[in-house]
Amino acid sequence: MTEPTLTLRGVAIYKGWLSPGVQAAMVEELRGVVAEAPLFAPVTPSGKPMSVRMTAAGRYGWVTDRRGYRYEPRHPDGMDWPAIPENVLAIWRTLASETRLPDCCLVNHYTQSAKMGLHQDRDEADFSWPVLSVSLGDDALFRIGNTTRGGPTESIWLNSGDVLVMGGAARLVYHGIDRIRAGSSSLLRGGGRINLTCRVVD
Ligand code: MD6
Ligand code: FE
């Protein structure tokens, strides 16, 4: 059994899980993903532009636009989503499940001013599967709340190479990114942060 470095409100956090070499290899794999399925600027159902840019890999990608939040089998430009990178699947097998692989690896790109409001990941069919996330590049202040809106929250800085698993009673906790520490990592040419979230969708 692999023990997390710490558990915050039921969220398992594996600090420094990925070596610098694996992080660099993953960035190369992600360059391939983005070359096939370009980052796009999503809009919330109410019409508000999000500050992150997004793409995905796997059988499904998570998208949002005026028609709502949902999983789609194709990129908004019409192409299939690329395969989930092997280095990402390897982390999933070790920390999430060996019996089922994720259907979606959502890729979020943050510039220095980007953030993500408190939300639940709840567009999947079966919440018994965990969501696994990987942080690459600049540090991010991650906030974790409760399974209902409101109430106290706690925050932790996520660094490049950290992996987090949201499962069990913590599967539906509210969470978000308050800010990015620009220039804190040299992993990504041009700076910024990439967050990957892997999910079983249907
Ligand atoms: C981020 N993460 O780290 C945003 N969702 O940029 C998420 O929204 C997230 O880290 C579900 C599970 C783990 C996560
Ligand atoms: Fe999330």
Side-chain angles (χ1 to χ4, degrees):
M1 184 60 193
T2 313
E3 291 303 327
T5 314
L6 77 156
T7 302
L8 194 58
R9 296 179 167 244
V11 177
I13 302 171
Y14 299 83
K15 298 295 291 179
W17 182 256
L18 301 178
S19 69
V22 170
Q23 292 176 48
M26 202 171 288
V27 170
E28 282 314 306
E29 290 179 314
L30 292 168
R31 284 189 202 293
V33 168
V34 169
E36 272 188 63
L39 290 163
F40 58 92
V43 174
T44 67
S46 67
K48 196 172 175 290
M50 291 182 71
S51 59
V52 296
R53 289 188 308 152
M54 256 174 213
T55 189
R59 293 173 51 228
Y60 293 107
W62 185 87
V63 301
T64 174
D65 57 21
R66 293 304 297 234
R67 290 160 50 211
Y69 301 130
R70 64 199 182 275
Y71 283 96
E72 288 281 1
R74 295 206 168 71
H75 185 280
D77 292 349
M79 65 283 274
D80 289 341
W81 304 105
I84 299 177
E86 204 46 53
N87 279 304
V88 178
L89 293 176
I91 308 168
W92 176 277
R93 285 192 194 93
T94 305
L95 295 180
S97 171
E98 289 186 321
T99 58
R100 184 156 176 190
L101 293 178
D103 300 311
C104 170
C105 173
L106 180 66
V107 179
N108 286 141
H109 181 269
Y110 294 74
T111 55
Q112 64 177 62
S113 59
K115 48 189 185 282
M116 186 166 303
L118 282 175
H119 68 276
Q120 292 173 300
D121 283 31
R122 54 176 301 157
D123 298 318
E124 301 75 30
D126 182 353
F127 300 137
S128 68
W129 294 103
V131 179
L132 179 147
S133 98
V134 178
S135 292
L136 295 168
D138 284 342
D139 302 343
L141 187 58
F142 186 72
R143 184 194 292 266
I144 308 174
N146 308 282
T147 53
T148 52
R149 239 179 224 298
T153 65
E154 287 176 83
S155 296
I156 183 173
W157 281 98
L158 297 178
N159 313 112
S160 194
D162 290 355
V163 176
L164 181 159
V165 178
M166 217 176 257
R171 175 62 178 75
L172 291 172
V173 293
Y174 277 85
H175 57 279
I177 296 289
D178 287 341
R179 61 193 170 95
I180 301 296
R181 197 145 56 192
S184 48
S185 165
S186 56
L187 181 69
L188 303 176
R189 299 196 277 273
R193 172 174 184 263
I194 292 174
N195 171 254
L196 308 176
T197 48
C198 298
R199 313 93 185 276
V200 168
V201 172
D202 58 7

